[in-house]
Amino acid sequence: MNGNLRWYYVTRGLMVLAWVGLMALLGTPREIMLVGAVLMAAFYLWLPRSGRYVIRTDRPLSPLLRDEREHAISSRAATYAFVAMLVPLAAAVLVASLRGQDAVSTDLISSIIAVSMTVWFVASFWLRRKT
Amino acid sequence: MDRLTNRLKELRARHDLTQEQLGWAVGVTRQTILAIERGDYSPSVHLALRIARRLETSLEEVFWLEPGSDRLGEER
């Protein structure tokens, strides 16, 4: 498998190096760059072994594909996250308009987005165990 | 509601295939084969046909509907 995934590892290694270069240009401390690069590399090494992807060696640069079950899980998790974002957002707009406010605070919107992202992660994890 | 049942595990064993090998042959992950065998995931018609073809049998030999309760909650 490793031989077939050579180009995957090469390109992802280059992406890690590009990220390190970008962070260096932005003046990021070395320790943070190192931790970030190690985490990124570990993530890319883990992905083919995660069992979430079908490995297609005829696509050397993007050999990891989701199968139909993974598509179904992602789609349902995205729906849950969308609802988790839309309902509170609509409520926030409604409350703001009832109070005569012109805008919804960015802190509140950030919190709603964070909650919806959390819902997406939790739903993905839960559906993967259940489905 | 009718429940999709299968004897994928038995047929796979008869062909001496691991979940990973069968998954690779039909283009899905080992987890998907496991989920189908456990009855947790109902495959698409396309995938079910690919599985049946790889196991050199008909679709009905691998998958069938098990009568269950209908919408009114009655057992058939």
Side-chain angles (χ1 to χ4, degrees):
Chain A
M1 189 174 82
N2 289 343
N4 295 329
L5 287 172
R6 186 189 309 127
W7 286 109
Y8 168 82
Y9 291 126
V10 168
T11 52
R12 271 50 179 189
L14 290 174
M15 283 164 70
V16 173
L17 288 177
W19 183 83
V20 168
L22 183 66
M23 290 298 110
L25 284 175
L26 293 173
T28 308
R30 276 188 184 178
E31 296 79 19
I32 293 175
M33 276 196 321
L34 186 67
V35 170
V38 167
L39 286 176
M40 268 181 88
F43 179 69
Y44 286 134
L45 286 171
W46 168 77
L47 273 185
R49 293 161 179 79
S50 66
R52 297 181 179 192
Y53 297 93
V54 178
I55 296 171
R56 287 269 305 271
T57 51
D58 55 322
R59 297 161 52 111
L61 295 180
S62 56
L64 306 183
L65 292 178
R66 287 178 174 160
D67 66 9
E68 62 174 50
R69 176 172 160 270
E70 276 297 322
H71 274 294
I73 289 170
S74 298
S75 172
R76 201 181 298 179
T79 304
Y80 292 159
F82 180 69
V83 171
M85 185 169 66
L86 203 64
V87 171
L89 200 57
V93 170
L94 192 65
V95 168
S97 66
L98 287 173
R99 287 179 176 174
Q101 295 169 337
D102 291 336
V104 178
S105 82
T106 50
D107 284 347
L108 183 58
I109 292 173
S110 300
S111 303
I112 290 170
I113 290 171
V115 167
S116 74
M117 282 176 67
T118 306
V119 167
W120 187 84
F121 277 111
V122 171
S124 297
F125 182 74
W126 179 69
L127 289 168
R128 200 162 276 115
R129 288 180 65 90
K130 184 175 170 289
T131 312
Chain B
M1 204 170 133
D2 294 340
R3 197 168 61 88
L4 187 69
T5 313
N6 70 77
R7 56 189 191 109
L8 181 55
K9 191 174 183 178
E10 177 196 332
L11 291 169
R12 178 174 61 75
R14 197 180 292 174
H15 280 75
D16 204 20
L17 289 169
T18 63
Q19 290 172 338
E20 193 162 10
Q21 286 168 335
L22 179 60
W24 186 83
V26 298
V28 296
T29 61
R30 187 185 68 80
Q31 280 81 354
T32 298
I33 298 295
L34 175 67
I36 295 169
E37 285 183 357
R38 286 196 313 221
D40 292 337
Y41 176 69
S42 296
S44 67
V45 175
H46 194 175
L47 175 57
L49 286 167
R50 283 206 307 267
I51 290 171
R53 185 173 61 190
R54 177 61 189 85
L55 296 175
E56 297 165 343
T57 187
S58 65
L59 186 61
E60 293 83 357
E61 282 291 313
V62 191
F63 299 98
W64 67 92
L65 286 174
E66 198 77 43
S69 57
D70 61 20
R71 286 179 178 223
L72 297 173
E74 290 178 17
E75 291 292 329
R76 288 182 191 168

